[in-house]
Amino acid sequence: MFDSYYRKDIDWGGKTLTLETGKIARQADGAVMARLGDTIVLCTAVGSRSVKPGQDFFPLTVNYQEKAFAAGKIPGGFFKREGRPSEFETLTSRLIDRPIRPLFPEGFRNEVQVVATVLSHDMENSPDIVAMVGCSAALTLSGIPFFGPIAAARVGYAAGEYILNPTLEQTKTSELELVVAGTAEGVLMVESEAKELSEEIMLGAVEFGHKAFQPVIQGIIELAERAAKEPWALTEVSEAERALKARISELGRADMAEAYKETVKQARYAKVGAVKKAIAEKLEAEGLDVAAAKGMMKELEADVVRNTILDTGIRIDGRDTKTVRPIVAEVGILPRSHGSALFTRGETQALCVATLGTGQDEQIIDALAGEYREDFMLHYNFPPYSVGETGRMGSPGRREVGHGKLAWRAVHPLLPEKEKFPYTIRVVSEITESNGSSSMATVCGTSLSLMDAGVPLKRPVAGIAMGLIKEEKGFAVLSDILGDEDHLGDMDFKVAGTEQGITALQMDIKITSITFDIMKTALAQAKDGRVHILGEMAKGLSGSRNEVAATAPRITVIQVPKDKIREVIGTGGKVIREIVEQTGTKIDIEDDGTIKIASSSPEATQAAIDRIRGITAEAEVGAIYNGTVVKVADFGAFVNFLGAKDGLVHISELGQDRVSKTSDVVSVGDKVKVKVIGFDDRGKVKLSMRVVDQATGADITDQVGAKRPRPEGEEGEGERRERSDRPRRGGDRGGERGGDRPRRFND
C-alpha cells in the first residue's frame, strides 16, 4: 500500500535520527516523520500553485504545534483540548521560519505553509530541533522552489567542552544554550542564552554546531535523491520586466540618492515617498505597468543605500559604520512604580517598568515536558504610534513575543538567586519610538529599571544590533543599525551582555549564508559598541539601589520545622488565611519549611511572624512568657502564653503566699507573666506565676526559695476531674484551649 515509503537513518552525535516519508500525510506536497530517540515530529509542507492577484510579498507561514498526548497528558482548562499557541510554540515557529525564509527564490510569491506537529516527546530530546530538521526535509522533498536543505543543532557548554544536542537534564547545568541553523555552506540563524561567555567561546559554539549538523544535511540530500517530487518550474524574468527595472533606475536613481541624504527619519520618508510618486506618474504617462513597479522601486532603494555605504562608508543618518547613536538613560521617572527607566538611543526609545511581587505572582507554565513556575517575566509591546502609524491594538504577535524573549534571555543570567532575592519580577517594555533595534533598547531599559527597583543584578546588561552589507566588491559591518539598514541589509545580528561577556546572541541572515570571518568581525565590533553603551547607561544609574522601592513589598523569610507546616496552614488553609486577613500580609509556604512574608508595613510583617512563631514554637522549661488568663478553675488558672498554647498555673503557683481561692488572684482576661516549670505525664505545660516578678518579668526563684510542697490532697480531685471533663482531641499534645486549634493534616 505504501509504495512510495522511504526511510533514512542518520548517525548523529551517537544517536539515530530517522526521517521517514510516504506513509503519513501523503496528500501534502512534502511530509516527513522525524524521530530522535522517542521524540517524534510530523512535518508537512504545502505550496499554492498560483499567486493571488496583486500579491507583492512572499506569504510563508510556519506553525509548530504540540499535542498533549505526545507526553501522555490531557490538556487543562474547560474545553480539554489544545487552544492558542503557547509562548514556546510561537518561539519555535519563528525558529523554523527564520533560516528557511531566505532560501526561497527572489520574486517567489506563491503561498507556502509549513506545519510541524509533535506526536511524541521522550522528555529527553527537545522537539524543536527535530522539527527544524523535519521541516527542512519536507520542503526539500516537496518540489516547492527551496534552495536548501538546512539543518540545525543545539549546542551546550560545560566544563570547557561543547555538547551536541544536550538533553533536557544537561541543559540545567550548561553555561550556554545555543541553536544554530544553516546550509552546508554557512550559517543562517543563531539564537542563544549564555552566562557571560567570551566572543571566542560563542563563535566556537556556532562553528561546532555547524560542523555537527553536516551529516544531517547529507542525509536529507540522500533521501531527496530517492523520494523528492519533480521541482516546480520557476518563472523566468521577462524582457519587459528587465526593461521596466532599467527605466525605473533611469528615472529615479539620482533623486533617490539625494532623498537618502536626509538624516531625519520622517523627513527622509517624505522625500523618498515623493520620489516614488514622481516615478509612478512618469511610468503611468508612458503607459508602463505601475503596479509591477512597486517592488522594483524597493529594489532601487536598496541598491542606492547599500552601494552608498560600501563606496563612502557613510550611512543613512550620516554616521560611519562603527558609531553608536546618541544615548540618554533616565531612571525613576514613574513615581509609583517599583522601578522605571526611559532609554533613548537616537530615534529608538523604550519605557521599561519593573514590578516586584511575591511567589503568588509566579507564572504557572503548563509545558509538554511538565509544569513549572516562572518568577521572571519580560513583556515587550510595540504600539503603532512608535513608528508614526495607525494600526490594530490587540494581543502580542509573534514578533513581540520573540523580541521579549530575546531581552529575557539577555537579562536572565544576571538575576540574583531566588534564595537571596525571593521576589517575582515582571518588566514591561513599551516601545514609544522605533527606528532600529527596539529589542536591544529593551535590554538596556530593563537592566536600568531592575537596578532602579533595587534588584541586585550582578552587573548591568546592554545590547546592540549589528547589520551587514555584502556585495561582490566587499562588505561592511554596521553598528547600531537603523530600521532601513535592517530592511535593506543582509544581516540582523543582535548581541547583548556585560563588560565580562555575552549573555544573548541572535542572528538572522537574509542571504544564503555568511562566513565565520564576517561573524568574528561583527562580534568584535559589537563588543566595542556594547562597552560604549554600558558607559552611557552608567550616567543614569551605575548599579542597583541598596534597597527595594518604598512602594514595593518587603519580603521577610523565616524557617519553621517541616513537621509544623500543616499546623501553620491549618485544616483547609483556615489558619494561614486568618493570619493573612488579620495582618494584611501575603504569605508563601514551601515544602522545606521556608515561609516568605510580604508586606510594605514592618508592623504587619512582625505581627505575621509572631503569629507563625506562636504556632510553631515549643515551650521551653525555665523560659518566661507573657500570657493571658483564659479560664479560672478551683485548682488553678489556664493561661494562654505561646500562640495557641495554654498551660496550667496550679493554685499553689499563683502567689508566694498560700492562695485559698483562684479568683482572689486572677480573673479571665488578666495579663500575667509565667514561667514554664515542666510538663505533666500527658505532655501538658505546667506554669508558675509565683517565681516571676509580675511587674518586671524577672525570675525571682532564688528569692522565694525552693518550691513549696503542695498540701496533701490539694493537687487534686478537682484538677483530675477538670482534665477528665475536657474533650479529647486527636493529635493534641499541649494544653490548648477549646477547639480553636486546627487538626493536623492526615497524610
Side-chain angles (χ1 to χ4, degrees):
M1 182 176 178
F2 304 114
D3 296 334
S4 59
Y5 174 78
Y6 297 95
R7 170 176 173 150
K8 178 65 180 179
D9 292 328
I10 304 166
D11 183 7
W12 192 21
K15 298 180 180 180
T16 299
L17 172 67
T18 301
L19 304 176
E20 297 180 353
T21 187
K23 184 176 181 179
I24 296 179
R26 291 174 294 165
Q27 295 186 44
D29 290 322
V32 170
M33 189 83 80
R35 177 171 184 165
L36 187 65
D38 282 340
T39 295
I40 302 173
V41 185
L42 172 62
C43 303
T44 62
V46 176
S48 174
R49 294 286 178 169
S50 60
V51 181
K52 292 180 180 179
Q55 185 78 45
D56 61 352
F57 65 95
F58 173 41
L60 170 66
T61 304
V62 177
N63 294 105
Y64 168 90
Q65 54 186 3
E66 296 180 333
K67 299 299 181 180
F69 61 71
K73 299 170 63 176
I74 295 176
F78 181 79
F79 295 104
K80 295 299 179 184
R81 68 176 296 164
E82 292 82 3
R84 58 179 295 180
S86 67
E87 181 181 88
F88 182 77
E89 288 172 309
T90 298
L91 293 170
T92 304
S93 296
R94 283 172 53 87
L95 205 64
I96 299 169
D97 183 297
R98 285 157 49 194
I100 65 175
R101 186 175 290 271
L103 298 181
F104 289 89
E106 186 177 352
F108 185 66
R109 298 290 183 264
N110 300 57
E111 184 174 3
V112 175
Q113 184 178 39
V114 177
V115 179
T117 306
V118 180
L119 303 180
S120 177
H121 188 1
D122 61 7
M123 306 299 163
E124 180 177 341
N125 298 289
S126 184
D128 54 358
I129 297 298
V130 181
M132 295 178 77
V133 171
C135 290
S136 168
L139 283 167
T140 304
L141 301 181
S142 68
I144 298 170
F146 175 67
F147 300 147
I150 67 152
R154 176 172 273 105
V155 180
Y157 184 76
E161 299 289 335
Y162 295 116
I163 307 169
L164 176 62
N165 293 329
T167 64
L168 297 180
E169 191 64 30
Q170 287 175 314
T171 58
K172 296 177 182 179
T173 57
S174 176
E175 297 179 65
L176 171 69
E177 184 178 355
L178 180 143
V179 175
V180 54
T183 62
E185 291 75 30
V187 175
L188 284 165
M189 188 275 296
V190 177
E191 183 83 36
S192 68
E193 178 184 341
K195 295 181 179 179
E196 295 184 283
L197 298 180
S198 68
E199 282 73 13
E200 291 74 22
I201 292 176
M202 296 298 289
L203 184 59
V206 175
E207 291 182 291
F208 174 83
H210 180 257
K211 182 179 179 180
F213 64 57
Q214 295 307 311
V216 178
I217 290 178
Q218 185 58 39
I220 295 174
I221 292 172
E222 292 174 6
L223 180 64
E225 289 172 348
R226 299 160 57 198
K229 295 180 180 178
E230 287 298 317
W232 294 11
L234 288 174
T235 304
E236 296 289 336
V237 178
S238 65
E239 287 298 326
E241 289 177 308
R242 292 193 183 93
L244 180 58
K245 187 178 294 187
R247 182 58 178 155
I248 289 170
S249 178
E250 182 182 348
L251 290 173
R253 178 173 291 274
D255 292 337
M256 191 69 77
E258 188 64 30
Y260 268 101
K261 291 180 180 179
E262 173 60 58
T263 58
V264 179
K265 176 184 174 181
Q266 296 299 336
R268 180 171 64 251
Y269 279 12
K271 290 183 178 181
V272 170
V275 172
K276 290 181 178 180
K277 182 179 179 181
I279 294 173
E281 290 174 349
K282 292 175 183 177
L283 292 176
E284 188 174 13
E286 296 176 9
L288 298 175
D289 188 352
V290 176
K294 289 183 179 179
M296 297 179 185
M297 283 191 273
K298 193 69 176 177
E299 293 177 19
L300 175 61
E301 281 187 76
D303 191 51
V304 167
V305 171
R306 294 164 63 89
N307 281 287
T308 299
I309 293 173
L310 288 176
D311 293 340
T312 68
I314 303 300
R315 295 156 64 181
I316 297 172
D317 59 357
R319 288 180 291 153
D320 61 25
T321 58
K322 297 182 180 180
T323 300
V324 176
R325 288 171 288 175
I327 291 172
V328 178
E330 304 171 71
V331 296
I333 63 173
L334 299 180
R336 296 296 299 172
S337 66
H338 300 162
S340 59
L342 184 67
F343 180 84
T344 307
R345 186 188 59 237
E347 295 169 309
T348 296
Q349 186 179 76
L351 173 62
C352 296
V353 185
T355 305
L356 304 181
T358 67
Q360 298 174 25
D361 299 309
E362 291 179 341
Q363 183 180 15
I364 301 174
I365 309 293
D366 185 16
L368 201 60
E371 184 179 289
Y372 65 95
R373 291 176 175 267
E374 183 57 68
D375 56 24
F376 174 47
M377 296 159 279
L378 198 159
H379 298 144
Y380 166 102
N381 297 312
F382 193 89
Y385 66 75
S386 65
V387 287
E389 297 177 357
T390 60
R392 185 182 68 86
M393 299 283 286
S395 57
R398 287 188 173 188
R399 179 179 180 275
E400 289 175 300
V401 173
H403 280 25
K405 190 62 176 181
L406 173 59
W408 183 95
R409 290 191 180 104
V411 176
H412 182 247
L414 280 306
L415 292 176
E417 292 78 9
K418 190 70 174 177
E419 294 74 22
K420 296 181 180 178
F421 194 75
Y423 286 88
T424 296
I425 303 170
R426 180 186 185 230
V427 177
V428 177
S429 174
E430 297 286 341
I431 303 304
T432 51
E433 292 183 39
S434 180
N435 186 14
S437 191
S438 55
S439 63
M440 294 297 96
T442 294
V443 172
C444 300
T446 295
S447 177
L448 289 166
S449 68
L450 289 174
M451 292 191 297
D452 183 50
V455 179
L457 288 186
K458 297 172 185 176
R459 277 166 291 281
V461 192
I464 186 171
M466 312 298 293
L468 173 70
I469 305 294
K470 184 173 180 288
E471 297 284 357
E472 289 185 5
K473 58 184 175 182
F475 71 90
V477 174
L478 313 178
S479 295
D480 182 24
I481 56 175
L482 300 173
D484 286 338
E485 293 169 338
D486 183 4
H487 303 321
L488 305 176
D490 298 321
M491 177 181 74
D492 184 9
F493 191 7
K494 300 182 176 76
V495 186
T498 68
E499 290 183 343
Q500 296 193 15
I502 294 172
T503 56
L505 189 153
Q506 184 185 88
M507 183 181 73
D508 292 300
I509 304 300
K510 301 172 188 178
I511 53 180
T512 53
S513 65
I514 64 169
T515 65
F516 287 104
D517 286 339
I518 293 177
M519 285 188 64
K520 186 175 182 180
T521 300
L523 282 170
Q525 199 165 313
K527 182 178 181 180
D528 294 338
R530 187 173 78 245
V531 171
H532 167 75
I533 294 170
L534 285 168
E536 295 299 301
M537 288 168 56
K539 295 177 182 178
L541 188 63
S542 59
S544 299
R545 301 196 187 280
N546 294 328
E547 59 180 16
V548 298
T551 53
R554 262 59 172 183
I555 295 181
T556 303
V557 180
I558 63 174
Q559 198 77 26
V560 301
K562 292 172 66 175
D563 61 353
K564 296 290 185 180
I565 294 175
R566 287 180 294 180
E567 296 181 27
V568 176
I569 295 173
T571 304
K574 175 184 176 183
V575 174
I576 195 64
R577 283 199 306 270
E578 184 179 280
I579 296 173
V580 168
E581 291 169 2
Q582 293 180 0
T583 63
T585 59
K586 287 186 177 182
I587 301 176
D588 296 318
I589 303 177
E590 299 178 6
D591 292 341
D592 64 352
T594 300
I595 298 181
K596 300 171 184 176
I597 304 167
S599 174
S600 56
S601 166
E603 293 78 13
T605 298
Q606 190 57 50
I609 292 174
D610 292 343
R611 291 285 299 273
I612 294 170
R613 291 298 189 201
I615 295 170
T616 61
E618 296 288 349
E620 299 180 25
V621 175
I624 294 175
Y625 300 92
N626 292 318
T628 302
V629 178
V630 294
K631 186 175 181 179
V632 174
D634 292 342
F635 53 82
F638 288 95
V639 175
N640 173 230
F641 70 99
L642 186 61
K645 291 181 174 61
D646 295 345
L648 174 66
V649 180
H650 191 270
I651 192 170
S652 63
E653 294 293 338
L654 286 174
Q656 296 182 24
D657 299 325
R658 189 178 186 281
V659 178
S660 59
K661 191 176 182 181
T662 305
S663 58
D664 290 341
V665 180
V666 292
S667 301
V668 172
D670 285 355
K671 304 296 182 183
V672 297
K673 295 176 173 59
V674 293
K675 179 180 178 178
V676 178
I677 57 175
F679 302 90
D680 67 13
D681 55 1
R682 298 179 61 202
K684 295 183 178 292
V685 183
K686 297 194 291 186
L687 304 173
S688 174
M689 290 171 52
R690 184 174 68 91
V691 295
V692 183
D693 187 319
Q694 294 300 307
T696 65
D699 189 337
I700 56 174
T701 302
D702 294 339
Q703 300 177 29
V704 299
K707 181 177 178 180
R708 186 177 64 249
R710 181 178 295 160
E712 184 177 352
E714 188 175 278
E715 193 263 345
E717 294 297 328
E719 180 176 354
R720 285 194 295 271
R721 185 167 55 251
E722 174 66 16
R723 288 177 178 172
S724 64
D725 289 344
R726 293 179 69 190
R728 297 289 298 275
R729 291 177 283 118
D732 247 355
R733 291 173 42 239
E736 294 83 4
R737 55 188 167 90
D740 290 344
R741 184 179 178 187
R743 294 178 183 272
R744 286 179 177 271
F745 289 140
N746 294 318
D747 291 331

